[in-house]
Amino acid sequence: MNIISKLPTVGTTIFTVMSKMAVDNNAINLSQGFPNFPIDPLLVELLKQKASENIHQYNPMSGNPMLLSEIGLLIERSYQRKVQVENELLVTAGATQAIFTTIQALVHPNEEVVILDPSYDCYESPIVLSGGIPKRIPLNDSFLPNWELINQTVNEKTKLIITNNPHNPSGRIWSESDMRELEYLLHRFPNLLVLSDEVYEYITFEQKHLSVHSNEFLRSRSIVVSSFGKTFHITGWKIGYLVAPEFILKEIKKIHQFLVFCVNSVSQSVLADYLPLVKTEDLGGFYQEKRNFFREKLQSSRFELLDCEGTYFQLASYQKISDESDIDFTKRLATEFGVAAIPLSVFNSDNADRKLIRFCFAKDDETLTNAAERLCKI
Ligand code: PMP
Ligand code: GLN
């Protein structure tokens, strides 16, 4: 039987490919972004306690009411935004489902969606599945928005612009003038909406990122996506949330109810108890130490490290080491030198290769030390 693929050009994600290569070659895995250290013991304790309670059945479709209310308080503490939790908030199975569901709900055939490259890999396919047209345009050389190009690209058919701040893979964060440019763009195009992927919102270093949540005009036209996976080192729990104005969330919920109906009840219940006890403000400092530790260890290497303002990713140029393509270089890095990383070209629609690779530094000190030792020998 012949099945006609709906995503003919899509293969296995680079994160799966590189993590497998790490296992096959017994390499240290700094490729796929996930922490390798234990989670907060308090979270483990709550999980144990809660497991014996009556929390194992379906939750309300939008989320456990206690968790919704705690998320509302977290957003208010972080961004001084008062979210109407019954109408503007949805708990999702990670940011991936939030993004997929939003795009399915909003994008009609032949409508355009702007993506800024290098971009995370879960944006394009849901657009294609909706019959929409992804318009992938490059960020500038510093991985910040190229507003001239964005303004030339957006038109009456553009439904959404997807933004990611702090940015995976570059670790850059937007300036005030970038936020202002986004406002101008929305003023120029009254039907344009923003899908703001802020999953690394609490992982920022010298300065905080500017959230769409904090801007009254922007938030009235945006869907903001968060991930507990990033914030509490629990990527495998696959839980996050999105916030959107009621008229948009109404449509998103229509899709959500048939995609998952509701999210895992145990993790929602545990997080509802955990949120009032934890300080998200400490996360930036925690990862800043890891970033500094890793960068110091690489000082004597031939890699050139780019600025990293947020996220747990460090970009490095290997131009002084080799002129191979970034894909060939990362393959050799894993097979010959025992360190797995991510080539940057896969985040670009035209596979532009700037001889840059991405390391994930959400690892314990021993892993980072061992990886850096190997990298310094190259
Ligand atoms: N957006 C970005 C920028 C990411 O790096 C990730 C990665 N994990 C996601 C979305 C998806 O997050 P989740 O694991 O919560 O689905
Ligand atoms: N967000 C993770 C990264 O950028 C990958 C998650 C996944 O494998 N889907 O490495």
Side-chain angles (χ1 to χ4, degrees):
M1 195 169 63
N2 189 17
I3 291 176
I4 300 168
S5 175
K6 288 195 167 184
L7 298 170
T9 60
V10 171
T12 309
T13 82
I14 189 71
F15 309 113
T16 307
V17 170
M18 292 313 300
S19 278
K20 180 168 184 311
M21 200 178 280
V23 173
D24 292 349
N25 292 281
N26 209 10
I28 300 171
N29 190 0
L30 304 190
S31 63
Q32 192 176 26
F34 63 88
N36 78 338
F37 39 81
I39 63 170
D40 185 350
L42 178 59
L43 203 46
V44 178
E45 197 43 51
L46 289 172
L47 183 59
K48 281 189 200 154
Q49 271 173 29
K50 292 252 123 188
S52 57
E53 291 180 20
N54 180 18
I55 57 163
H56 300 281
Q57 310 309 328
Y58 293 128
N59 273 182
M61 192 260 279
S62 308
N64 172 327
M66 299 257 294
L67 179 60
L68 291 173
S69 141
E70 287 301 333
I71 294 172
L73 293 172
L74 172 67
I75 295 171
E76 194 173 346
R77 272 201 306 278
S78 306
Y79 306 113
Q80 293 72 53
R81 174 182 187 177
K82 264 190 189 304
V83 172
Q84 287 176 38
V85 292
E86 319 78 46
N87 308 320
E88 296 180 327
L89 178 59
L90 181 69
V91 176
T92 59
T96 310
Q97 189 235 319
I99 291 164
F100 188 94
T101 312
T102 299
I103 292 170
Q104 290 300 312
L106 299 179
V107 179
H108 290 261
N110 297 319
E111 286 183 335
E112 297 179 0
V113 180
V114 169
I115 299 176
L116 307 175
D117 278 352
S119 59
Y120 184 59
D121 68 351
C122 80
Y123 306 146
E124 184 166 46
S125 290
I127 300 168
V128 173
L129 290 173
S130 305
I133 303 168
K135 289 280 175 185
R136 294 180 62 168
I137 54 177
L139 291 163
N140 68 22
D141 287 348
S142 311
F143 299 103
L144 292 171
N146 178 339
W147 288 107
E148 206 179 317
L149 205 51
I150 294 172
N151 280 301
Q152 282 164 17
T153 307
V154 172
N155 63 71
E156 297 301 333
K157 283 199 305 190
T158 314
K159 175 50 75 60
L160 273 179
I161 175 167
I162 303 181
T163 59
N164 175 212
N165 175 35
H167 181 239
N168 176 10
S170 74
R172 295 307 305 266
I173 58 180
W174 287 27
S175 67
E176 266 180 41
S177 90
D178 290 318
M179 302 305 279
R180 262 197 310 276
E181 289 285 351
L182 185 62
E183 283 187 55
Y184 296 148
L185 186 73
L186 292 189
H187 281 299
R188 269 184 64 214
F189 293 96
N191 294 318
L192 179 68
L193 298 172
V194 180
L195 175 50
S196 183
D197 177 344
E198 301 190 22
V199 297
Y200 299 101
E201 62 195 312
Y202 296 112
I203 310 180
T204 54
F205 310 134
E206 282 76 15
Q207 64 186 100
K208 286 197 164 104
H209 90 302
L210 295 167
S211 175
V212 162
H213 281 307
S214 307
N215 179 313
E216 213 170 325
F217 171 65
L218 287 179
R219 72 192 184 213
S220 73
R221 301 270 296 277
S222 301
I223 301 91
V224 188
V225 174
S226 295
S227 171
F228 286 126
K230 313 292 170 198
T231 303
F232 298 138
H233 320 300
I234 47 171
T235 60
W237 287 28
K238 292 303 305 184
I239 181 163
Y241 53 93
L242 66 82
V243 180
E246 186 177 0
F247 74 100
I248 300 177
L249 193 66
K250 216 170 106 199
E251 292 305 315
I252 294 175
K253 281 182 184 170
K254 289 184 191 173
I255 310 281
H256 178 82
Q257 66 186 344
F258 298 125
L259 192 56
V260 290
F261 180 69
C262 69
V263 170
N264 181 301
S265 62
V266 179
S267 46
Q268 290 199 65
S269 178
V270 171
L271 286 167
D273 279 12
Y274 184 62
L275 274 182
L277 307 174
V278 72
K279 283 217 232 107
T280 45
E281 308 88 274
D282 295 344
L283 191 65
F286 172 80
Y287 276 119
Q288 188 168 353
E289 270 180 32
K290 294 217 170 283
R291 179 202 65 176
N292 294 348
F293 183 80
F294 186 52
R295 285 175 72 98
E296 267 159 38
K297 296 268 171 203
L298 285 178
Q299 236 172 16
S300 63
S301 80
R302 290 197 290 155
F303 287 98
E304 285 169 285
L305 305 179
L306 276 61
D307 286 348
C308 168
E309 301 171 301
T311 76
Y312 42 53
F313 301 117
Q314 173 65 59
L315 289 192
S317 164
Y318 61 91
Q319 220 152 16
K320 287 196 181 147
I321 302 173
S322 161
D323 58 8
E324 285 163 286
S325 74
D326 61 358
I327 293 187
D328 287 346
F329 184 72
T330 44
K331 270 188 200 149
R332 208 157 61 81
L333 201 58
T335 52
E336 277 181 37
F337 296 100
V339 179
I342 298 285
L344 218 71
S345 61
V346 300
F347 294 87
N348 293 323
S349 66
D350 59 359
N351 296 117
D353 180 0
R354 288 173 57 185
K355 312 289 176 215
L356 292 172
I357 60 176
R358 190 197 80 176
F359 296 115
C360 171
F361 57 79
K363 306 293 168 190
D364 56 36
D365 288 355
E366 193 189 343
T367 306
L368 293 176
T369 304
N370 291 339
E373 256 171 39
R374 293 179 187 191
L375 294 169
C376 285
K377 288 193 187 129
I378 301 170

